[in-house]
Amino acid sequence: MQTMLSTHRPCGRRVSGLRGSLRTSVSHIILLVMCQRGTLMTLKQELIQQVLLLSLVTFMNRLGQNVSLGASVLCVGFCPAVNHLWVAGLADAMSRIDTPSSYAKSIERQAELATGKVFNCYRSSQRPIPLALLYPFFDTFFWNASDTADLQQRDTLFTLELCQKMQGFVGKESRRELDFGTLFRDYLQGILPATKIKHQIKGKSIIDIQLQVQIAKQWVTLIYIEVKHEAGHSGDAQQEGMAYHFQDVKEMGFMTKWHTLNPALLLTVVGPTVRAFGLCVDATLTGICEPLSQAMDMLIIPHIPDAITKLASLFHAMPDLVQALRAHYEEAAVETRKLIFMSPSKEQLPYPLWDPDKWTESCQLGARSHKLVYLARGPQQPLQLVKFTQQYGVEAHDAWARAGIVPELLAEPRQVAQRWQQISMEYLAPEKPDSSGWFTMRFLMQSVAKQAQHAPESLTLAPDHLPQMFERAKHLVRSAHKVIVSDSYAAHGDVRPDNIMVRVKDNAVMDLKLIDMDWAGVVGTARYPSLLNTKTIIWPQGVGPGQLLQQAHDLELLQLQVSPDTRYAEVSWRKMVTYSLELSDMDVDT
């Protein structure tokens, strides 16, 4: 049996509070290991393990609050004792659900549990990690389900027959379930003969229809299908499907026995509509349910012929997903590496950071941040910043990095799944051995205003340095605008004090760099994103969702942000910036 504990040295101002529990808990962990190996044969192991497990939980909770970077504390399948924690966590969550069918009928229970506490289905401000960054085959399915180019005649014929069966009104749920399940079984088993379709058994708490495959002598459910005969009857199909999946994860124990986060597909059939969702239970024991398609009508509408084609594409994509899920579970059942699913501060990591042979340390940058930005270190490598994004100005970043305007790219951008990129770059550390460090301009503005509660004690930037810092920031932006990018010039698109890093040494501004190049691109082609925050940010005139970037916007936005005469400056002056506040409280070696 192999255990893994964080080797990170906590920051000085918090280490004293951790030492006592560290000594006690490490000794308890040693006793736990001895119990598991049968070393303490004369002791009552069950009682001892329960007490020691409680101590281990307390220690890991404290460790998760104090550690910012280090080796993973939890690694799925690494220790029978720690596996008990996962089982206990799943059991506790299921005890709050009662039964999936009753849970699906209780709006109050759903509001309590489906907003990030047990389930996360994008109905709260707390966003889960995208499923594409856990298992890329979900992203492939998303694209294939909207691609009509490869449709075959059998897909269209199945879809037409399905619509004929589903379009009528049905008084009983069992009737719609039988009709859908029979056609779906015949369609898929013609392509996937080694699968079986299992219907609900009266008196047992299982989902209406399951598609299963046998792996390592166990039947694994790859597709869950929850059926409601009409809308508004028998509760919420999506919530019930999530709960059944969560229940299976607890009962089958794949999370503790195999190297998996239990991915699966959920189909909800509500009257004559169908919708697809991706499911998994992440390393924090949160059930994630992410929409992979729109709700689609199973109706024959002659004047909208492409509705049948789009619906057929959804089903056409399923065999490939089933094959990918099967391959995943087959590999997970025999995997020997100890994949690191979770950081020491208890955040789910994206799959490119799971392999301990490539990444020895990793954690999210800013635990409260919605951005997918991480600190990571590979063997014999310096600490670097790893960002996962769907849009990034790689050409502008590369050109501006050669001019010293932005952090250096440490590797070629890597395509992750279908829609994501992995960007690895130089990490601008907040504190270095020579007492210099990088901070956002916003953070320095706040520190001068005495509002940055987490500012290092040595950081006392004088107020008369602010005008000089603002002028140097404008000069930095103008310098970026003069750099040739793809035979033209580029704009940044989001030049706010949050996205300007300032290096301070001996309480003087030494250097500045731009960060957050997601929107950056060539003037005349690059555009602002469709989801642009116009509610809490005042943008220059001409800036809007889908509008073209202009270099003038960069300077105008910066001026709006730093000017004390603008309303937004007062709002943003009070805003706490996650990036620098989190970094200034981390103790990492570069």
Side-chain angles (χ1 to χ4, degrees):
M1 177 182 58
Q2 179 183 3
T3 59
M4 297 178 64
L5 291 177
S6 174
T7 57
H8 172 66
R9 175 174 51 85
C11 56
R13 53 178 173 262
R14 290 189 292 192
V15 70
S16 59
L18 188 61
R19 280 179 184 146
S21 62
L22 179 61
R23 295 192 193 99
T24 304
S25 298
V26 167
S27 63
H28 285 177
I29 294 168
I30 294 172
L31 285 173
L32 258 177
V33 174
M34 294 171 70
C35 285
Q36 289 290 326
R37 289 181 174 176
T39 307
L40 304 179
M41 298 298 294
T42 61
L43 299 177
K44 298 290 186 181
Q45 290 192 12
E46 289 296 323
L47 178 61
I48 291 175
Q49 286 186 3
Q50 292 297 322
V51 174
L52 297 182
L53 280 171
L54 289 174
S55 177
L56 178 58
V57 172
T58 303
F59 166 67
M60 288 200 298
N61 284 338
R62 295 199 65 187
L63 190 64
Q65 295 169 2
N66 288 274
V67 172
S68 295
L69 187 65
S72 177
V73 174
L74 282 183
C75 181
V76 170
F78 81 88
C79 170
V82 174
N83 283 344
H84 294 327
L85 300 178
W86 292 83
V87 174
L90 289 167
D92 176 66
M94 282 305 301
S95 68
R96 300 165 67 187
I97 293 172
D98 193 15
T99 65
S101 58
S102 62
Y103 167 74
K105 298 171 186 175
S106 173
I107 301 298
E108 294 78 11
R109 207 68 171 148
Q110 292 170 31
E112 177 188 354
L113 301 184
T115 52
K117 295 182 179 178
V118 175
F119 299 122
N120 197 317
C121 53
Y122 290 86
R123 297 188 67 172
S124 70
S125 58
Q126 183 179 351
R127 296 287 183 259
I129 188 168
L131 288 185
L133 295 182
L134 299 180
Y135 295 107
F137 46 69
F138 281 123
D139 213 25
T140 304
F141 173 81
F142 176 85
W143 283 106
N144 290 346
S146 57
D147 182 10
T148 61
D150 296 327
L151 285 182
Q152 299 177 10
Q153 186 179 14
R154 67 182 311 277
D155 302 316
T156 307
L157 291 176
F158 160 74
T159 305
L160 284 170
E161 187 177 2
L162 184 68
C163 289
Q164 290 170 352
K165 284 282 188 182
M166 294 291 107
Q167 65 186 1
F169 289 91
V170 177
K172 291 185 178 181
E173 187 173 298
S174 58
R175 171 65 185 278
R176 192 174 293 281
E177 175 194 327
L178 179 62
D179 289 344
F180 185 91
T182 302
L183 290 173
F184 189 67
R185 177 197 62 202
D186 295 342
Y187 170 71
L188 272 192
Q189 287 195 335
I191 311 170
L192 305 168
T195 60
K196 76 173 183 179
I197 298 288
K198 183 178 179 181
H199 286 262
Q200 187 179 47
I201 301 173
K202 191 173 182 179
K204 289 193 174 182
S205 179
I206 63 173
I207 201 163
D208 293 330
I209 308 170
Q210 304 171 71
L211 183 140
Q212 298 181 320
V213 295
Q214 192 172 34
I215 296 171
K217 298 182 179 181
Q218 295 198 63
W219 284 99
V220 182
T221 301
L222 305 184
I223 299 182
Y224 293 79
I225 305 174
E226 182 59 35
V227 180
K228 304 297 179 187
H229 60 291
E230 295 295 343
H233 292 264
S234 305
D236 188 309
Q238 178 195 356
Q239 301 293 327
E240 190 167 349
M242 278 196 308
Y244 276 120
H245 174 255
F246 203 87
Q247 174 181 275
D248 282 357
V249 171
K250 169 184 172 289
E251 292 179 354
M252 300 302 291
F254 294 145
M255 179 173 279
T256 55
K257 291 187 295 186
W258 296 351
H259 292 71
T260 180
L261 299 177
N262 306 274
L265 180 71
L266 168 66
L267 290 181
T268 59
V269 178
V270 181
T273 63
V274 63
R275 191 173 190 182
F277 299 86
L279 297 172
C280 82
V281 176
D282 73 11
T284 68
L285 299 184
T286 300
I288 298 176
C289 183
E290 180 179 316
L292 298 179
S293 77
Q294 300 292 328
M296 307 180 76
D297 292 325
M298 293 181 285
L299 300 172
I300 298 176
I301 308 176
H303 59 278
I304 312 179
D306 63 337
I308 294 292
T309 345
K310 291 179 180 178
L311 182 58
S313 298
L314 176 66
F315 292 104
H316 176 74
M318 288 183 193
D320 286 345
L321 178 62
V322 170
Q323 296 284 29
L325 286 166
R326 185 210 300 265
H328 162 70
Y329 280 104
E330 288 174 344
E331 181 181 359
V334 298
E335 179 63 72
T336 57
R337 293 174 302 165
K338 304 304 179 184
L339 302 181
I340 300 175
F341 291 144
M342 185 167 63
S343 74
S345 47
K346 300 182 181 178
E347 306 115 7
Q348 173 67 56
L349 296 173
Y351 79 87
L353 301 180
W354 289 355
D355 190 346
D357 296 331
K358 295 180 179 179
W359 302 101
T360 57
E361 301 174 291
S362 55
C363 77
Q364 190 172 19
L365 184 56
R368 296 184 300 273
S369 175
H370 67 283
K371 293 188 175 182
L372 298 166
V373 181
Y374 300 83
L375 291 182
R377 192 199 316 269
Q380 309 300 320
Q381 292 181 0
L383 195 62
Q384 58 186 276
L385 188 144
V386 181
K387 182 172 188 174
F388 297 90
T389 179
Q390 290 181 297
Q391 176 183 347
Y392 200 78
V394 175
E395 292 180 342
H397 191 137
D398 188 50
W400 289 355
R402 290 196 297 269
I405 294 170
V406 297
E408 179 186 357
L409 287 174
L410 300 181
E412 289 291 325
R414 176 190 172 193
Q415 189 70 28
V416 176
Q418 296 282 336
R419 296 175 289 171
W420 294 85
Q421 295 182 78
Q422 176 182 327
I423 311 294
S424 299
M425 69 186 77
E426 171 192 6
Y427 168 50
L428 305 180
E431 293 180 74
K432 293 186 177 181
D434 62 357
S435 299
S436 67
W438 290 90
F439 305 90
T440 65
M441 181 185 289
R442 177 86 70 204
F443 180 75
L444 295 175
M445 293 162 62
Q446 291 171 337
S447 70
V448 171
K450 306 300 181 184
Q451 293 182 357
Q453 301 299 321
H454 294 257
E457 296 178 2
S458 59
L459 182 61
T460 55
L461 193 66
D464 57 2
H465 286 173
L466 289 181
Q468 177 194 10
M469 182 171 64
F470 296 156
E471 288 303 315
R472 290 188 62 176
K474 294 175 185 177
H475 176 73
L476 178 72
V477 175
R478 293 190 186 101
S479 299
H481 289 169
K482 295 176 182 178
V483 175
I484 295 178
V485 179
S486 298
D487 299 325
S488 186
Y489 299 98
H492 183 282
D494 193 14
V495 182
R496 291 178 291 145
D498 310 76
N499 296 328
I500 300 176
M501 297 296 291
V502 182
R503 187 167 69 92
V504 177
K505 183 177 181 181
D506 298 329
N507 299 318
V509 175
M510 301 298 295
D511 198 7
L512 291 88
K513 288 190 178 184
L514 294 172
I515 60 170
D516 205 353
M517 304 284 290
D518 293 28
W519 307 347
V522 173
V523 174
T525 59
R527 295 180 179 273
Y528 290 99
S530 56
L531 295 177
L532 187 68
N533 181 5
T534 57
K535 190 173 183 179
T536 60
I537 299 177
I538 295 179
W539 299 90
Q541 188 173 2
V543 174
Q547 298 298 310
L548 290 169
L549 268 65
Q550 298 181 24
Q551 290 187 336
H553 294 163
D554 290 347
L555 292 168
E556 291 172 17
L557 178 60
L558 180 59
Q559 183 62 40
L560 281 171
Q561 294 281 306
V562 301
S563 172
D565 300 326
T566 61
R567 177 170 63 88
Y568 180 70
E570 293 300 319
V571 175
S572 62
W573 201 273
R574 297 191 298 270
K575 179 182 175 185
M576 301 303 284
V577 181
T578 301
Y579 189 91
S580 282
L581 294 185
E582 293 291 339
L583 288 185
S584 64
D585 205 29
M586 293 176 67
D587 181 34
V588 293
D589 298 322
T590 58

